[in-house]
Amino acid sequence: MKRLLLSALVLFCITPLLIFPQNRNSKEFLPGADILIRENLPLIKGKQIGVVTNHTALLKNGTLLADSLAHIPGINIKALFSPEHGIRGNEEAGAGVKDGRDPVTGIRVISLYGKNYKPRHEDLEGIDLLLFDIQDIGARYFTYISTLYYTIESCAENKLPLIVLDRPNPVAPLKTDGPVTENKFRSFIAVAPIPVIHGMTVGELALLFNSIIEKEKGVKCEIKVIKMSNWDRKHFLDYYSPFWVKPSPNMASLETTVIYGGTCLIEGTNVSEGRGTSAPFLTIGAPFINSAMLIKELQKDKIDGVRFLPAEFTPADIPGTATNPKYKNELCRGISIKITDRNKVEPLKLGVKLIYALKKLYPQFGFKDRTIDNLFGASYLREMINKGGKPEKIFLRWQKELNNFINLKKKFLLY
């Protein structure tokens, strides 16, 4: 009996984990990476390739794209290009990524999150084409799409083809929402004129970004998007897989990702966004906040899809996740956000209403002006809140530009 149990355990351990098991409909979902390996290897065989990737580029069997490609005869990976958080996803937010060697494959790693944000001409010498495969989370602030933008720009300038392996927008059912970034506030957390909740996949964004770059720079990249099979933007990511792979150390769950498009704005204030806790972006607070008072104020708005619970927490250093978080080792009080119906959540509007309530209730509340403006992509959120402007007026301010973007993006949608 013991031998049987041991054999079963060994079999379980060596059997690849199916990251994308058969989904609930009868058709098999596959990300672009699997489609590349199953059907499109001739596109890259015999060529010197560079791969812009990280730990999120998983195949259905649970192995990483770079690890799999490195073992396929005729595939020659000349370099790996790393976004924020590193090739293996173990660097915390904001920590620079260094050039080096990938510890698993031994392939040279070139950082795109340090001194340089885009591949330089010398980085691309001897490379015939680039692959891009990184999981986005659907919010403009997330720097992986900024890395995509600069990769496209570099490929266009260096006349190098780019293949983008598409992946789901994990929060695709959320409404496209928010201000379109004003040019003077474009930065690495707002790299292009798109709204905060953009509603697109990385493949679709690549086509849109290429159009923007051509218009602004007069150069265009030759892009091929390897589409997913049997993906529908009506579903959240867990429809296709029960497994959550953290896109970044603080993106702890799909629920975090749903709310992140709104509560990330708290980073631009003197209130804690929950870094240094087990539930960042779902936990909001500061030493000067009264939980009951804040919840009562938020409940006046009847915010759909969530409920607010009182929370007490003490932010602390968490190795690889949070260093020197706001109010480190200080007792904070505030709220824990629980999602009750994610199909009704409007995260950005929730974030604005939360900031409005904090400003209304607490004289101690304040903005980090440059950070909040860069996150929001405009200065009017801060300016209107400081003057007592109601959230509804802020929403109206961005509606026209949002409608224009929604019409624009239709020609780049692939699904």
Side-chain angles (χ1 to χ4, degrees):
M1 182 67 178
K2 288 182 179 178
R3 288 183 180 178
L4 283 172
L5 289 171
L6 181 61
S7 298
L9 179 62
V10 170
L11 181 61
F12 175 80
C13 292
I14 65 174
T15 301
L17 174 67
L18 293 181
I19 294 297
F20 297 106
Q22 191 79 6
N23 53 303
R24 296 168 206 175
N25 59 31
S26 60
K27 297 178 180 177
E28 183 182 29
F29 165 79
L30 290 172
D34 279 276
I35 303 296
L36 173 76
I37 288 178
R38 292 190 183 194
E39 303 174 12
N40 293 282
L41 280 180
L43 292 174
I44 60 174
K45 273 196 171 181
K47 297 180 180 178
Q48 298 291 325
I49 64 173
V51 188
V52 185
T53 192
N54 68 359
H55 66 291
T56 66
L58 287 162
L59 299 170
K60 182 175 180 177
N61 65 7
T63 60
L64 285 177
L65 173 71
D67 297 348
S68 296
L69 290 178
H71 291 93
I72 298 176
I75 304 297
N76 304 305
I77 303 177
K78 190 170 178 66
L80 299 173
F81 293 85
S82 173
E84 186 180 7
H85 307 299
I87 284 289
R88 300 284 163 177
N90 51 11
E91 300 287 345
E92 67 180 81
V97 176
K98 296 179 180 179
D99 294 348
R101 292 273 169 187
D102 175 41
V104 177
T105 63
I107 297 170
R108 179 171 64 120
V109 175
I110 297 171
S111 172
L112 299 182
Y113 193 78
K115 293 180 180 179
N116 303 294
Y117 285 152
K118 75 178 185 179
R120 300 166 299 173
H121 177 76
E122 54 265 39
D123 297 330
L124 301 173
E125 288 181 358
I127 291 177
D128 298 317
L129 64 85
L130 287 185
L131 288 181
F132 184 98
D133 188 10
I134 301 177
Q135 175 68 61
D136 179 41
I137 67 161
R140 186 184 64 205
Y141 325 117
F142 216 55
T143 62
Y144 295 163
I145 62 171
S146 303
T147 297
L148 172 64
Y149 186 95
Y150 284 119
T151 297
I152 295 169
E153 189 174 81
S154 179
C155 285
E157 292 167 349
N158 290 279
K159 296 181 171 54
L160 202 66
L162 174 67
I163 298 175
V164 177
L165 308 181
D166 213 0
R167 288 191 177 271
N169 180 328
V171 295
L174 296 181
K175 294 177 183 177
T176 302
D177 203 8
V180 172
T181 311
E182 295 177 8
N183 281 333
K184 67 179 179 179
F185 292 107
R186 286 171 69 172
S187 69
F188 204 61
I189 54 171
V191 75
I194 62 174
V196 172
I197 311 298
H198 54 72
M200 303 176 78
T201 69
V202 287
E204 294 166 343
L205 282 171
L207 300 178
L208 171 61
F209 289 169
N210 201 26
S211 174
I212 293 169
I213 291 165
E214 182 182 22
K215 181 179 179 181
E216 295 181 351
K217 299 270 187 173
V219 289
K220 187 177 183 180
C221 176
E222 178 190 331
I223 295 179
K224 180 176 180 61
V225 177
I226 305 294
K227 293 174 59 177
M228 299 173 278
S229 67
N230 301 306
W231 181 75
D232 192 316
R233 60 190 350 108
K234 293 185 296 186
H235 302 299
F236 288 90
L237 183 62
D238 56 3
Y239 178 85
Y240 300 100
S241 174
F243 302 104
W244 178 254
V245 177
K246 292 182 181 180
S248 64
N250 283 287
M251 209 51 52
S253 64
L254 180 58
E255 286 72 23
T256 311
T257 308
V258 170
I259 216 72
Y260 173 78
T263 55
C264 183
L265 290 175
I266 299 298
E267 289 186 345
T269 76
N270 64 344
V271 171
S272 169
E273 68 282 357
R275 291 186 190 272
T277 76
S278 61
F281 303 108
L282 291 166
T283 306
I284 308 296
F288 56 81
I289 289 176
N290 177 293
S291 297
M293 184 184 297
L294 179 57
I295 291 172
K296 184 177 180 180
E297 182 65 28
L298 290 169
Q299 286 175 339
K300 291 177 182 177
D301 266 321
K302 298 180 180 178
I303 300 171
D304 288 336
V306 298
R307 64 190 176 106
F308 304 105
L309 300 176
E312 286 191 355
F313 61 97
T314 303
D317 285 338
I318 302 175
T321 302
T323 300
N324 292 320
K326 289 178 191 170
Y327 301 114
K328 176 182 172 180
N329 299 329
E330 292 186 54
L331 178 64
C332 295
R333 296 178 179 84
I335 57 171
S336 173
I337 303 171
K338 303 296 182 183
I339 297 175
T340 57
D341 187 344
R342 62 191 179 185
N343 289 294
K344 293 181 179 179
V345 174
E346 294 183 279
L348 186 60
K349 290 185 172 69
L350 182 155
V352 172
K353 289 178 179 180
L354 175 57
I355 288 172
Y356 174 78
L358 290 167
K359 175 64 176 175
K360 179 180 177 181
L361 294 175
Y362 303 106
Q364 305 97 316
F365 174 83
F367 287 111
K368 298 179 178 180
D369 293 4
R370 183 174 179 180
T371 303
I372 192 67
D373 293 354
N374 284 344
L375 284 166
F376 190 68
S379 61
Y380 65 81
L381 171 65
R382 172 178 53 82
E383 293 163 352
M384 292 177 73
I385 290 286
N386 279 338
K387 292 177 181 177
K390 297 290 182 68
E392 289 71 21
K393 290 187 176 180
I394 296 170
F395 307 155
L396 286 173
R397 178 79 177 263
W398 74 55
Q399 196 58 53
K400 182 178 179 181
E401 64 198 67
L402 176 63
N403 290 340
N404 290 339
F405 174 82
I406 290 171
N407 288 328
L408 170 68
K409 82 172 187 177
K410 288 176 182 177
K411 66 180 180 179
F412 302 104
L413 300 182
L414 299 171
Y415 308 90

